[in-house]
Amino acid sequence: FPVSDFTNAALFLDPGANRLHDEFAMRLREFIDKYDEGASLVAHSQGGMASLHLLSFYWSKADLLIKNWAVVGEDRVVQSVGSPYNGNSMAGTLAGIGQGIGFGCGANRDMNPEGAKIWMTTIPKAARKQIFFYITQYKPWNWCSFAANA
């Protein structure tokens, strides 16, 4: 979505980076803590996981929304789009091989299925309730989605 579709929006971009959730969460916190009234997040892919990590382990201005006024009932602090909470096979060995031949950004233990499962056990249920997630799915089998569906 273009930033112009939102009111009072700020855009955080960190494309092509290969960060563990904790480091990504710290970068998000540094970015949103500039805003006095707090912040809600719309996050894609690992951004959703880093946002959940931030809500789980650190205080940030996103917590102001929970504490003060904005989040009630079914409202959520994070809108997560296409975040692989159960991991992604592309983030494991295949990503490491790709990096070796100059393709992709390398393996990430927080993003592969085994690492994601371990990481998710550390996330409190109260933090999980602050996430509204939208899922994405590859179309039926084709060569473009072969590795991701493996």
Side-chain angles (χ1 to χ4, degrees):
F1 301 102
V3 175
S4 60
D5 285 355
F6 298 89
T7 303
N8 298 327
L11 182 63
F12 173 84
L13 291 174
D14 195 22
N18 185 5
R19 304 185 193 291
L20 297 177
H21 297 335
D22 194 67
E23 182 183 357
F24 196 158
M26 293 292 82
R27 293 174 75 83
L28 281 174
R29 182 171 86 172
E30 182 179 305
F31 179 77
I32 67 175
D33 280 355
K34 297 183 281 186
Y35 302 97
D36 292 332
E37 294 181 16
S40 61
L41 304 164
V42 177
H44 174 253
S45 192
Q46 188 184 9
M49 299 166 84
S51 298
L52 178 55
H53 192 88
L54 177 63
L55 290 173
S56 298
F57 301 111
Y58 301 103
W59 187 93
S60 74
K61 295 280 180 85
D63 292 297
L64 291 176
L65 297 180
I66 299 167
K67 181 181 174 190
N68 292 340
W69 53 273
V71 179
V72 293
E74 294 298 313
D75 290 343
R76 301 291 190 266
V77 172
V78 176
Q79 304 291 315
S80 172
V81 181
S83 295
Y85 292 103
N86 291 322
N88 182 326
S89 58
M90 297 289 288
T93 305
L94 189 58
I97 293 169
Q99 184 180 27
I101 60 172
F103 179 76
C105 56
N108 184 320
R109 71 174 183 263
D110 283 348
M111 298 283 291
N112 69 40
E114 298 81 22
K117 182 177 180 180
I118 292 167
W119 171 76
M120 190 56 88
T121 64
T122 68
I123 304 298
K125 289 183 181 181
R128 294 179 196 194
K129 290 180 181 179
Q130 298 305 320
I131 305 288
F132 188 88
F133 60 93
Y134 302 88
I135 59 172
T136 57
Q137 183 175 348
Y138 291 101
K139 292 181 179 181
W141 190 91
N142 65 47
W143 284 108
C144 294
S145 61
F146 174 71
N149 289 329

